[in-house]
Amino acid sequence: MTMMKAAVFVAPGRIELVDKPIPPVGPNDALVRITTTTICGTDVHILKGEYQVAPGLTIGHEPVGIIEKLGSNVQGYQEGQRVIAGAICPSFNSYASQDGLSSQDGGCTCHGYKPMGGWRFGNTIDGTQAEYVLVPDAQANLAPVPDGLSDEQVLMCPDIMSTGFAGAEAANIKIGDIVAVFAQGPIGLCATAGAKLRGASMIIAIDGVSERLQIARQLGADVTLNFREVDVVDEILKLTGGRGVDASIEALGLQSTFESALRVLKPGGTLSSLGVYSSDLTIPLGAFHAGLGDNKIVTSLCPGGKERMRRLLNVVASGRVDLGLLVTHEYKLEQIVEAYDLFGHQRDGVLKVAIKPF
Ligand SMILES: [Zn+2]
């Protein structure tokens, strides 16, 4: 067999399933047969033409699969092994990686700074919405899936869980902290779960969809607020006796959520931003205490690499958190256009879709 099915970006508004050659395996690569992948919000931006990739590129960056073939230099794995790889596959050779920021691993400094340099699948190289994917720098990026875990249980590790947890980690949540998490989409839900694991004693989850708030409770939220029903800032200040939260996590990427996340912070609190913004942000004077509030605003991009994946898989294997419940729908790869339609329009209570090539 030399050909495979792959979902490729054709033009804005068009992602189609095509036949492509199965790629040859270079010395540092691994060919992984995809058993389950999924669609990310970023892929919807690609579909709409809001984030540009080369026409003909295979989309997708969340792989669960089986090693089909290992490159000659790749040590420590066996063909036939179940693995995941991070959405971001750093080479660990760059200045950014050696500075501890593997997600910004660009490898190339000749074109200046470009964020997301480590994100290759479905961005700069063929991605995971296909029967096979070539994992670059495989020895640094393949993580074996512990026995007994389903594809659905580990499907969030490559991107959504890594990003959501990074938001909680960057917020520097301490045991006993009060944390507000703005937006309970898949990443916000993982930030809620991450805040719980970090030891927050009260987690306030905010969204406008009651089903999402219900899942937030299952993942550790103590209080849920529907912004369609209450003034979220007033409510949070009431809940904290006017003190404000120790940390707020923004997981949507809008001025309004960013601003609310800032307004509910205590002096000295941290706003941890995960949203991808598409216009300039304004920082209101009062919310920012005119610059005198000792506040921190930090951003995070999905950390990758096998050590990050190993830790996330450990969290899943230990039963500390069950993210399988974020997988609400399942499709065959042949139905991926339909899956994009459902996911892109957020119909039928969808959180994440499992895509099965075989
Ligand atoms: Zn993503």
Side-chain angles (χ1 to χ4, degrees), residues 40 42 61-62 159-160:
C40 180
T42 313
H61 50 261
E62 295 158 281
D159 182 0
I160 304 303

Side-chain angles (χ1 to χ4, degrees), residues 181-186 188-189 204-214 216 224-230 232 251-252 257 351:
V181 185
F182 287 82
Q184 298 294 305
L189 286 166
I204 306 162
I206 301 107
D207 203 279
V209 179
S210 55
E211 291 80 8
R212 292 185 172 202
L213 292 173
Q214 212 173 326
T224 55
L225 300 177
N226 188 324
F227 67 79
R228 298 179 200 283
E229 294 166 5
V230 296
V232 168
L252 190 59
T257 40
L351 280 169

Side-chain angles (χ1 to χ4, degrees), residues 35-53:
T35 53
T36 308
T37 184
T38 178
I39 301 174
C40 180
T42 313
D43 302 330
V44 176
H45 289 298
I46 291 173
L47 171 63
K48 290 180 179 168
E50 294 163 353
Y51 183 85
Q52 292 191 346
V53 299

Side-chain angles (χ1 to χ4, degrees), residues 173-179 198-202 246:
I173 295 165
K174 296 194 286 292
I175 297 170
D177 271 356
I178 302 178
V179 179
R198 295 274 303 191
S201 60
M202 187 201 279
D246 299 290

Side-chain angles (χ1 to χ4, degrees), residues 71-260:
S72 54
N73 290 345
V74 185
Q75 306 290 312
Y77 303 90
Q78 290 99 45
E79 290 168 2
Q81 204 170 11
R82 271 184 85 215
V83 290
I84 62 168
I88 281 178
C89 282
S91 68
F92 292 98
N93 289 321
S94 66
Y95 290 104
S97 274
Q98 294 191 14
D99 204 23
L101 276 175
S102 63
S103 53
Q104 304 294 348
D105 180 306
C108 170
T109 50
C110 48
H111 297 109
Y113 172 76
K114 183 177 176 289
M116 305 195 293
W119 174 33
R120 293 192 269 181
F121 287 142
N123 181 25
T124 58
I125 64 171
D126 277 337
T128 62
Q129 290 166 13
E131 290 177 314
Y132 296 89
V133 69
L134 201 60
V135 177
D137 296 301
Q139 192 166 327
N141 287 297
L142 291 176
V145 176
D147 289 342
L149 296 183
S150 69
D151 281 13
E152 283 71 15
Q153 282 177 292
V154 302
L155 186 57
M156 299 307 120
C157 295
D159 182 0
I160 304 303
M161 183 184 185
S162 190
T163 302
F165 279 23
E169 289 161 330
N172 194 27
I173 295 165
K174 296 194 286 292
I175 297 170
D177 271 356
I178 302 178
V179 179
V181 185
F182 287 82
Q184 298 294 305
I187 286 174
L189 286 166
C190 286
T192 295
K196 175 85 175 176
L197 289 169
R198 295 274 303 191
S201 60
M202 187 201 279
I203 300 164
I204 306 162
I206 301 107
D207 203 279
V209 179
S210 55
E211 291 80 8
R212 292 185 172 202
L213 292 173
Q214 212 173 326
I215 295 176
R217 281 186 176 274
Q218 284 174 263
L219 291 174
D222 302 283
V223 180
T224 55
L225 300 177
N226 188 324
F227 67 79
R228 298 179 200 283
E229 294 166 5
V230 296
D231 182 316
V232 168
V233 173
D234 279 359
E235 211 57 39
I236 292 175
L237 291 176
K238 245 185 268 171
L239 283 164
T240 57
R243 182 176 172 277
V245 298
D246 299 290
S248 57
I249 300 174
E250 199 286 342
L252 190 59
L254 295 178
Q255 171 71 31
S256 57
T257 40
F258 177 84
E259 198 173 316
S260 296

